[in-house]
Amino acid sequence: MSFVDALLPPTLARCARRIGTVLIALGVLVLFLFPDSARAGTEVPADRWLTGGLLVAAGLGMRLAARRSPATAVGVLLAHGVAHAIVGGHWAAVLSAVLVAYAAGSWLRDRVGAPAASPGVEGAAADAAPDAAPQHPADVARENVEAIVMALIIALTVREFLYEAFLIPTASMEPTIVGQEPSEGRKHGDRLLATKIPMLTGDPPRWSIVVFKYPLYRRVNYIKRLIGLPGETVEIRDGDIYVNDAVVAKPEEVQDQLWFPEYPVPGSPPGAAAVWKPRDVGAAWSVDDTAASADVASGTESWIAYDQTLDRRDNDLRVGALLDISRLDPDAGAVLLRVEGAGRAVELEVGASGARLSAPGLDRVPVDGVALGRGARRIDLGVADRVVRVWVDGRLAARIAHADEQNDGSDRPKVALGLRGAAARLSGLRVDRYLQYGKAGYSMVPDDGFVMLGDNTDSSKDSREWRVIELVTADGRVFHTENHVKLEDNSIVSFQERDGVYRFIDVDGIARELDAATTEKRVGVAAPYVRRRDLVGRAFVIFFPFPPFGDFRLRFLP
């Protein structure tokens, strides 16, 4: 047998048998060796048996069908892929599609290299003829060994060294990653692929989304955003991340994903008249449900403000509107946008000839690439991580850092829009909140530690909250556990002290019993770091759900 024959069988019948053996072997691996692979990492026994059972059944079906009709065997493979897509085993559905392409290659090779069919031999019989002769037992054994080796290579190489799929069960990373929340009517959480290649070459970069073993129970995987790196001093201050006493700004591709809509609320009517109010008594603002309009005399300013109370932590905000200008004073006429909070004020004035920005440490500095042109134009002003960003018609036009200090801004978050010497209609009014981390804290990261935080800062169990019970025995051994350990099957095992004995499950999943009289117990010990050995992979793509199973969520993660 040539190397080409070993790589790609010369007939569709042999290829179908090989694929059948691959599926059987993969099913066995899922059932007994790699149970976490079932249904993209749900780690639920029922899903393990469903996924592994479908793989084994499809493999047996293909091997049986290949004897009579290789085309039927490929049909079994297609049905297997559809079944996995329906029940949620989407990694297996993708594998089925890849194997169908593999079978197509074998079929093409057969058609190109096959001799002409004998007279009177047509259709399926012609396709089966090249493989009709009985195989020598040694060839059959070799064929099966090759298929099993192929399955092992797929399982070990892909899962252990390259990629692994995961299901996100909670809302801790929203809005970036949507979790499966049955209580909120979500039957399908995001499923994503994580690559392990970066872990082989070095540490993942800050702000990347990382899968890791939960430090308080290492048999379960968590997913969070990497905030602090080894050897750094990390602090949460005013909702922002400071590293070595300097605020760190997120890159654009990360920041774009971390704006939360404040107004209008998704799925609700704008209702602008109820939430946008003129600042000035007697101001000539007209506000309906969708827009605000005013005609402001030359040399004067008039503002309209978002009149809803914002959380004190929401110091980083974005405000904008679609501007339809009907009159603009040629010299001083301008549209004004303002964001305030934590004693800082940022104001952008945009005229016909350009724009100027005022912010902490900046006094009406020119902003290149921003001006009012002919026709309607959308302008948005965003402030986040001590960086001012200006968008024109949805395109990032300017990015300017300001000083980490206060000026004349309000302590409470506020946003407003205004006009100076202009008449305009402002529609598409919008206010967004930026991710602000709650629960301020300070920590020095050890040389092999990483700080992980969830994007949904109020609903994320992460480095800010990880605390353990620490048990130190008389001979110096140290064990860590939680009050209540949630196991892979979602059952709960609680820490117990009974008959003078501590009984618990430690962070490695091992049941322990220690003599309470000779063991020192410390409660609430901070354990905020993920060790390098526990990094699993860097999430890089959401591949499910998609219609009809849910909203289209396919996208790459920065």
Side-chain angles (χ1 to χ4, degrees):
M1 179 181 291
S2 68
F3 173 76
V4 175
D5 288 346
L7 189 63
L8 184 65
T11 68
L12 183 58
R14 292 184 183 180
C15 184
R17 287 198 298 270
R18 171 177 290 185
I19 292 174
T21 306
V22 167
L23 294 180
I24 293 170
L26 285 175
V28 172
L29 290 173
V30 166
L31 290 171
F32 301 107
L33 296 182
F34 301 139
D36 294 356
S37 301
R39 281 192 68 185
T42 61
E43 302 176 2
V44 176
D47 294 336
R48 179 195 315 168
W49 288 104
L50 180 60
T51 301
L54 283 174
L55 285 165
V56 172
L60 291 172
M62 288 194 68
R63 287 197 60 89
L64 292 173
R67 297 180 178 181
R68 295 178 175 268
S69 173
T72 301
V74 175
V76 171
L77 180 59
L78 287 170
H80 166 261
V82 172
H84 273 294
I86 293 173
V87 302
H90 300 285
W91 70 267
V94 172
L95 174 65
S96 295
V98 173
L99 292 176
V100 167
Y102 179 70
S106 183
W107 179 81
L108 286 173
R109 184 185 175 203
D110 185 13
R111 304 302 294 179
V112 170
S118 302
V121 179
E122 298 178 356
D127 290 338
D131 199 52
Q135 286 184 281
H136 191 277
D139 292 333
V140 174
R142 180 175 58 202
E143 186 178 282
N144 290 330
V145 169
E146 289 172 353
I148 293 172
V149 170
M150 182 177 174
L152 284 169
I153 291 173
I154 292 173
L156 291 172
T157 303
V158 174
R159 187 183 184 279
E160 296 300 311
F161 300 104
L162 299 180
Y163 303 100
E164 188 171 352
F166 297 91
L167 167 69
I168 308 305
T170 70
S172 68
M173 281 297 293
E174 293 184 2
T176 310
I177 303 173
V178 175
Q180 179 177 325
E181 295 283 355
S183 61
E184 298 183 13
R186 293 192 205 130
K187 295 181 179 179
H188 300 286
D190 284 347
R191 287 181 171 84
L192 55 84
L193 283 177
T195 174
K196 302 183 179 184
I197 297 174
M199 311 304 155
L200 302 176
T201 58
D203 295 336
R206 190 190 326 279
W207 309 123
S208 56
I209 299 174
V210 177
V211 179
F212 55 91
K213 296 178 181 178
Y214 177 41
L216 278 58
Y217 185 62
R218 298 179 60 249
R219 293 189 178 185
V220 172
N221 291 323
Y222 268 35
I223 181 167
K224 306 290 179 188
R225 192 177 295 278
L226 194 159
I227 302 298
L229 296 168
E232 295 180 338
T233 299
V234 178
E235 183 180 3
I236 300 175
R237 190 190 310 168
D238 291 333
D240 294 321
I241 302 298
Y242 283 73
V243 173
N244 301 332
D245 206 35
V247 67
V248 287
K250 303 172 188 66
E252 300 302 325
E253 62 272 16
V254 173
Q255 190 185 91
D256 286 345
Q257 299 182 358
L258 299 179
W259 291 101
F260 295 74
E262 165 70 23
Y263 169 85
V265 176
S268 301
V275 297
W276 289 92
K277 305 294 183 181
R279 274 188 177 178
D280 315 308
V281 177
W285 282 96
S286 173
V287 185
D288 58 28
D289 281 344
T290 60
S293 303
D295 190 338
V296 181
S298 300
T300 62
E301 292 182 3
S302 185
W303 292 84
I304 186 170
Y306 182 64
D307 193 41
Q308 300 298 292
T309 302
L310 294 164
D311 192 293
R312 293 190 69 92
R313 293 176 305 170
D314 294 331
N315 300 312
D316 289 353
L317 296 161
R318 179 167 63 184
V319 62
L322 179 64
L323 313 173
D324 190 358
I325 310 295
S326 56
R327 181 183 62 82
L328 186 69
D329 287 358
D331 296 327
V335 174
L336 310 171
L337 300 92
R338 187 176 177 91
V339 172
E340 299 182 62
R344 296 182 289 269
V346 175
E347 184 174 314
L348 178 71
E349 52 183 281
V350 187
S353 58
R356 291 187 176 274
L357 176 69
S358 297
L362 304 172
D363 185 16
R364 299 190 74 246
V365 298
V367 181
D368 296 334
V370 180
L372 295 174
R374 294 181 178 179
R377 171 163 288 187
R378 181 171 188 90
I379 304 289
D380 291 275
L381 169 69
V383 181
D385 301 332
R386 308 297 184 270
V387 176
V388 179
R389 292 169 174 83
V390 182
W391 292 265
V392 177
D393 293 332
R395 177 186 59 84
L396 183 64
R399 183 183 189 276
I400 302 172
H402 68 75
D404 187 12
E405 60 188 38
Q406 296 182 336
N407 51 7
D408 62 347
S410 167
D411 287 336
R412 296 199 65 89
K414 297 180 180 179
V415 295
L417 299 167
L419 296 174
R420 179 199 302 142
R425 182 176 187 271
L426 283 57
S427 60
L429 301 165
R430 187 177 73 192
V431 179
D432 295 323
R433 297 175 289 109
Y434 189 63
L435 172 66
Q436 298 276 268
Y437 292 106
K439 304 168 187 172
Y442 173 89
S443 62
M444 299 184 66
V445 188
D447 288 341
D448 69 336
F450 299 83
V451 175
M452 305 287 184
L453 299 182
D455 288 354
N456 191 356
T457 182
D458 290 332
S459 301
S460 175
K461 185 178 181 182
D462 50 35
S463 288
R464 297 167 299 173
E465 296 186 351
W466 293 337
R467 295 185 178 277
V468 297
I469 298 172
E470 186 173 84
L471 301 158
V472 183
T473 63
D475 58 1
R477 293 177 297 156
V478 180
F479 300 94
H480 291 140
T481 186
E482 291 186 278
N483 265 325
H484 307 286
V485 178
K486 187 176 183 179
L487 305 181
E488 298 95 317
D489 61 359
N490 292 325
S491 63
I492 304 294
V493 176
S494 298
F495 180 88
Q496 294 182 350
E497 180 181 356
R498 185 182 301 170
D499 301 328
V501 176
Y502 292 136
R503 294 180 175 86
F504 59 94
I505 302 291
D506 70 8
V507 295
D508 292 314
I510 301 173
R512 302 282 187 182
E513 293 186 357
L514 300 177
D515 181 13
T518 59
T519 301
E520 181 183 358
K521 176 185 173 184
R522 303 166 184 166
V523 179
V525 177
Y529 308 114
V530 175
R531 302 296 176 175
R532 185 176 282 108
R533 65 176 182 174
D534 289 334
L535 299 178
V536 175
R538 179 179 178 181
F540 74 98
V541 65
I542 296 173
F543 66 88
F544 183 84
F546 47 77
F549 305 103
D551 296 333
F552 186 81
R553 297 276 300 161
L554 178 63
R555 60 192 176 90
F556 287 95
L557 298 170

